[in-house]
Amino acid sequence: QVQLVESGGGLVQPGGSLRLSCAASINIFRINVMAWYRQTPGKQRELVAASPRWGSRNYADSVTGRFTISRDTAKNTVYLQMNSLKPEDTAVYYCKAEEVVGATTYDYWGQGTQVTVSS
C-alpha cells in the first residue's frame, strides 16, 4: 500500500507559477511510474505529466513547454512545476503512483489539490 499526499495548490493569476508536491510513503525508486493528472467538473481525469522509472518523461500537449515533472528520490517526492499558467489549467490535480509487483500493477492516488488560475 502506498500513501500519496499532494500539496502546493492554490489561487494564482494567469501567467503565474505554482509547484505541486506529492509525498509518497515508500521509496519512489520502487515505483514504476509517477504521474500527475487533473480533473474538472463533468470531465474525465486526464494525464498531465508522467515520469517513468526508466524512459523519458511525457506530457500532455496542452502543457508541453510550460510544466515540468521531476522526482526527488531522497525525499520520496514528485513535483510538478507549472509555469505560464492559464485559466484552462484550473482543475483538481491528482498524483498517481503505479507500482508493479510481479505480474500485477497497482495504482495509488492522492486526495487531490485544487489549482485555480484567475485574475
Side-chain angles (χ1 to χ4, degrees), residues 10-18 82-87 89-90 115-119:
L11 173 64
V12 64
Q13 292 187 341
S17 298
L18 281 176
M82 306 186 294
N83 298 328
S84 303
L85 282 161
K86 305 175 181 180
D89 294 318
T90 296
V115 171
T116 302
V117 184
S118 175
S119 55

Side-chain angles (χ1 to χ4, degrees), residues 2-119:
V2 179
Q3 281 80 47
L4 303 171
V5 179
E6 300 109 331
S7 61
L11 173 64
V12 64
Q13 292 187 341
S17 298
L18 281 176
R19 189 177 78 159
L20 305 183
S21 300
C22 172
S25 60
I26 66 168
N27 189 334
I28 62 172
F29 183 76
R30 292 171 40 186
I31 302 298
N32 190 51
V33 180
M34 295 294 300
W36 287 95
Y37 285 71
R38 66 187 181 188
Q39 189 171 25
T40 54
K43 293 188 176 181
Q44 286 190 332
R45 199 169 291 187
E46 64 171 356
L47 177 66
V48 175
S51 171
R53 185 164 56 172
W54 295 293
S56 301
R57 302 168 195 168
N58 55 87
Y59 299 90
D61 289 344
S62 59
V63 307
T64 297
R66 300 187 297 121
F67 290 11
T68 303
I69 187 171
S70 61
R71 296 192 186 206
D72 186 336
T73 53
K75 295 181 178 180
N76 295 325
T77 299
V78 175
Y79 301 99
L80 184 68
Q81 178 66 44
M82 306 186 294
N83 298 328
S84 303
L85 282 161
K86 305 175 181 180
E88 50 264 42
D89 294 318
T90 296
V92 178
Y93 284 71
Y94 297 89
C95 178
K96 176 187 171 184
E98 180 184 294
E99 183 183 29
V100 177
V101 181
T104 304
T105 298
Y106 299 92
D107 289 339
Y108 302 99
W109 293 90
Q111 81 286 357
T113 185
Q114 176 70 46
V115 171
T116 302
V117 184
S118 175
S119 55

